[in-house]
Amino acid sequence: MGNTSSMLTQYDIEELQEHCNHAFSQQEIVSLYHRFCQLDRNGSGFIPGDEFLSVPEFAVNPLSQRLLRMLDGLNFKEFVAFLSAFSPRTSLQHKIEFIFRVYDFDSNGRVTFDDILCGLRDLTGSFISEQQRQKVLTRVLEEAGYTKDSSLVLSDFMKILGNSDLKMEVEVPID
Amino acid sequence: MAGLGSSSSEMDLDRLNIEEYLTVESIRESPRKLHLRDLLDISPTLKEAAGAIVDDSFTRCFKSNPPEPWNWNVYLFPLWCLGVVIRYGILFPLRVTILAAGWIAFFSAFLPVHFLLGDHNKLRQKVERKLVEMICSVFVASWTGVIKYHGPRPSIRPQQVFVANHTSMIDFIILEQMTAFAVIMQKHPGWVGFIQKTILESVGCIWFNRTESKDREIVARKLREHTQGVDKNPVLIFPEGTCVNNHYTVMFKKGAFELGCAVCPVAIKYNKIFVDAFWNSKKQSFTMHLVQLMTSWAVVCDVWYLEPQYIRPGETPIEFAERVRDMISIRAGLKKVPWDGYLKYFRPSPKLIERKQQIFAESVLQRLEEK
């Protein structure tokens, strides 16, 4: 127990705001810190993957395993940076970059046919056959002017997703 | 998903209905031609995940709220200190004495009755019933329980079950002091388990272990037998299956709602002015929980006995359970969440992920076919 917010000084908060390009207000950062401490039950400074999975709403997400690889072992600063993609104040470009990173599993800066297929597999599970998945993906890639062998870079993602309205805003509760 | 799969098999009995509770969210409307953009846009799913990381309704259900100390200025501080001295130095020992005296009186009457009178003796049943009610009143007195009961007092008759929302084991004590219910509850270790086995069995209570699927079948059978009996004590069930912090209600287990008898809802709302009555069993033993209650000024609580409900023609047990949950939630001012309380002990089943995958897969296939 005790008052955990006292552990974040004004300097800390400002530094965190700087780090995430002011995606969060100071109060939001304090709120996130409470949440971080709540999930970091051992007080080790990072949240083990198991703890995320004990949140049922997260565990039932089809992308949970994929996101877990990005989340595992983050300290608070990185945790805030991770979530900053979901702030209303963050630019569309940053959000698309985030989506790109989710697809770019080996983080080599390129998203290949297999990377997208892998993501699609997480999203559709056993409800589409592997052949169907490949067929669908090949077709839409060709329609968009790519081939099965082309690998997409960040600027391609910008072009593809740049005009769509991404629904990626999460409100941080302030109490 | 290996970790998720392992525990799910034995829980399937209850899992069966969690999917029926969750509503199908936004299946993407207007079918149009599938573009690469639509395939790559995973923002709704990511948003859901991030939302759950930032805040989730499940964890909120089990968050205990420590009482705010009101010693924040120089005038109040000495008063608050005086309060601490009175609560710990005078009230607590006094209450322990009352509790001890209560137990001595209880045992000196219970043991002879229990062992001298025969098993099916009417007198014995009556005396034991009264004694259990008595010891529960002693418990309530030991935290200066200020409890207001609204609505008609339950009566003993067959074909009815009482269901209540669950905050702490003291719910049971509070209800039991008015009427000797036969309760269905989790088996506990330690002295609580001892009382369960020796005393509470005499009023017809049924104990089970949450993790044993075999236990659950036995409970279902016993429950059916019990509700048919004529002079049995009324059955009380906490269909949430776990303690919730009295701000929310989690999903009701459907067991109580498929017996075909009258379901009498009981709503319990605690006033947190002096102490939070939520028992966070993962953080605190029941003994420590009682000590916490016994060192507070009082436990203030409202109990409403609501109108008996019957399953409507064409209504499934789950819909019936939801209807009763609505009544209790509205009366006690609690928020409903679509989660199974057992998720405190087990991971959600992979079926829930599959459901989301199915929705996405269908929207992809549908749009592909239209070409």
Side-chain angles (χ1 to χ4, degrees):
Chain A
M1 292 218 193
N3 195 2
T4 38
S5 71
S6 61
M7 288 162 69
L8 278 185
T9 65
Q10 193 68 37
Y11 291 114
D12 294 332
I13 295 176
E14 278 165 15
E15 195 196 320
L16 286 159
Q17 280 188 306
E18 207 66 49
H19 186 67
C20 65
N21 290 322
H22 293 267
F24 297 114
S25 71
Q26 304 206 340
Q27 280 193 320
E28 283 172 333
I29 290 197
V30 172
S31 261
L32 286 176
Y33 189 65
H34 284 305
R35 178 64 172 173
F36 186 83
C37 295
Q38 190 189 9
L39 292 172
D40 174 22
R41 231 179 278 184
N42 316 326
S44 55
F46 65 91
I47 307 168
D50 215 40
E51 213 47 66
F52 283 112
L53 287 177
S54 73
V55 175
E57 274 155 79
F58 181 78
V60 301
N61 195 292
L63 295 175
S64 59
Q65 292 299 319
R66 185 171 278 263
L67 290 171
L68 214 52
R69 289 201 19 179
M70 295 169 76
L71 278 165
D72 205 13
L74 295 192
N75 61 25
F76 181 58
K77 199 171 167 183
E78 293 157 336
F79 180 75
V80 171
F82 177 91
L83 289 173
S84 70
F86 297 91
S87 155
R89 263 162 281 183
T90 300
S91 65
L92 182 64
Q93 188 179 351
H94 186 85
K95 287 175 197 274
I96 295 173
E97 215 178 295
F98 184 87
I99 294 177
F100 183 79
R101 279 202 296 140
V102 175
Y103 274 110
D104 186 13
F105 215 43
D106 47 9
S107 48
N108 62 355
R110 270 197 293 270
V111 172
T112 61
F113 180 82
D114 284 337
D115 285 334
I116 305 178
L117 194 66
C118 199
L120 204 55
R121 205 176 291 140
D122 284 350
L123 286 167
T124 53
S126 55
F127 295 94
I128 298 186
S129 72
E130 192 62 30
Q131 286 149 320
Q132 271 175 315
R133 253 196 298 264
Q134 294 197 6
K135 209 173 101 192
V136 172
L137 189 54
T138 317
R139 191 181 297 172
V140 293
L141 272 175
E142 278 165 6
E143 277 169 5
Y146 300 95
T147 66
K148 209 183 152 185
D149 302 315
S150 48
S151 52
L152 309 183
V153 291
L154 185 57
S155 62
D156 292 310
F157 263 64
M158 295 288 179
K159 231 188 296 165
I160 297 163
L161 292 173
N163 306 324
S164 45
D165 51 334
L166 299 181
K167 296 175 197 73
M168 261 178 71
E169 286 177 15
V170 169
E171 202 184 320
V172 180
I174 295 169
D175 24 48
Chain B
M1 295 293 104
L4 300 184
S6 58
S7 61
S8 67
S9 57
E10 58 188 5
M11 292 309 300
D12 266 357
L13 244 165
D14 289 291
R15 269 303 136 52
L16 286 177
N17 58 26
I18 188 169
E19 285 132 71
E20 291 172 57
Y21 275 96
L22 292 174
T23 48
V24 182
E25 327 97 70
S26 59
I27 301 176
R28 299 192 186 182
E29 331 71 28
S30 60
R32 57 201 161 99
K33 209 177 141 200
L34 183 71
H35 292 290
L36 181 59
R37 189 177 65 217
D38 307 315
L39 268 193
L40 289 186
D41 183 5
I42 47 174
S43 57
T45 314
L46 290 177
K47 181 198 152 153
E48 270 179 38
I53 292 172
V54 170
D55 184 26
D56 73 294
S57 58
F58 185 74
T59 316
R60 281 189 169 228
C61 293
F62 308 107
K63 204 163 140 188
S64 35
N65 306 303
E68 293 273 327
W70 44 275
N71 53 2
W72 30 261
N73 83 20
V74 82
Y75 313 113
L76 290 176
F77 188 69
L79 274 177
W80 181 83
C81 289
L82 185 67
V84 171
V85 171
I86 294 176
R87 285 191 288 121
Y88 286 82
I90 300 173
L91 282 182
F92 183 62
L94 196 68
R95 287 163 169 181
V96 172
T97 320
I98 292 173
L99 204 55
W103 276 115
I104 293 168
F106 175 82
F107 274 115
S108 53
F110 183 85
L111 292 176
V113 172
H114 191 74
F115 290 107
L116 294 180
L117 297 175
D119 249 359
H120 293 285
N121 192 311
K122 277 258 153 64
L123 179 68
R124 174 182 148 182
Q125 279 176 3
K126 203 172 162 195
V127 170
E128 285 182 346
R129 194 178 287 163
K130 287 287 160 212
L131 281 173
V132 169
E133 286 177 15
M134 186 278 283
I135 192 68
C136 286
S137 329
V138 171
F139 263 113
V140 172
S142 81
W143 352 284
T144 318
V146 182
I147 294 146
K148 266 182 262 165
Y149 295 89
H150 311 260
R153 204 76 56 73
S155 52
I156 299 177
R157 56 180 164 194
Q159 297 291 331
Q160 59 172 2
V161 282
F162 287 80
V163 297
N165 59 308
H166 199 19
T167 310
S168 160
M169 211 131 63
I170 70 166
D171 296 338
F172 160 70
I173 298 173
I174 285 170
L175 294 178
E176 194 82 359
Q177 73 156 346
M178 287 314 238
T179 324
F181 283 108
V183 78
I184 309 225
M185 250 184 172
Q186 164 75 26
K187 211 178 272 166
H188 285 277
W191 65 270
V192 181
F194 174 75
I195 291 175
Q196 287 180 330
K197 250 189 280 166
T198 52
I199 298 160
L200 293 176
E201 216 148 74
S202 63
V203 287
C205 293
I206 300 168
W207 310 106
F208 72 102
N209 206 339
R210 206 180 261 127
T211 49
E212 295 279 337
S213 50
K214 225 190 266 165
D215 273 20
R216 225 171 296 132
E217 286 160 32
I218 298 170
V219 167
R221 189 168 44 78
K222 277 195 195 159
L223 185 59
R224 256 170 225 288
E225 284 167 14
H226 193 108
T227 47
Q228 304 303 332
V230 180
D231 57 347
K232 296 271 175 67
N233 295 319
V235 178
L236 170 66
I237 296 175
F238 296 106
E240 288 174 302
T242 187
C243 297
V244 184
N245 67 5
N246 213 231
H247 288 294
Y248 297 88
T249 51
V250 297
M251 219 174 77
F252 279 10
K253 303 270 161 212
K254 61 181 175 181
F257 301 90
E258 48 192 13
L259 294 169
C261 49
V263 172
C264 314
V266 181
I268 306 172
K269 178 68 182 175
Y270 290 94
N271 183 330
K272 302 214 162 153
I273 180 166
F274 296 122
V275 68
D276 183 2
F278 169 52
W279 177 34
N280 195 341
S281 58
K282 284 206 164 165
K283 280 207 180 133
Q284 209 177 26
S285 71
F286 188 61
T287 314
M288 282 321 289
H289 179 56
L290 281 184
V291 168
Q292 193 190 332
L293 296 176
M294 285 168 75
T295 52
S296 77
W297 289 106
V299 173
V300 186
C301 157
D302 279 289
V303 174
W304 289 272
Y305 297 108
L306 304 175
E307 197 133 338
Q309 300 295 313
Y310 299 87
I311 193 160
R312 289 178 185 153
E315 200 175 36
T316 65
I318 288 176
E319 286 162 356
F320 183 32
E322 277 300 87
R323 186 155 61 82
V324 172
R325 181 153 83 112
D326 268 337
M327 286 180 70
I328 292 178
S329 307
I330 291 168
R331 184 63 269 186
L334 310 172
K335 262 189 242 155
K336 287 171 60 182
V337 294
W339 296 107
D340 180 345
Y342 278 17
L343 291 175
K344 233 163 120 183
Y345 309 94
F346 303 98
R347 289 282 160 70
S349 102
K351 275 190 209 147
L352 290 173
I353 294 189
E354 283 167 18
R355 193 181 165 79
K356 287 179 188 253
Q357 290 174 331
Q358 190 179 5
I359 294 170
F360 190 81
E362 272 163 12
S363 73
V364 168
L365 283 176
Q366 195 184 1
R367 279 192 267 162
L368 195 71
E369 276 161 16
E370 295 194 352
K371 244 191 91 172

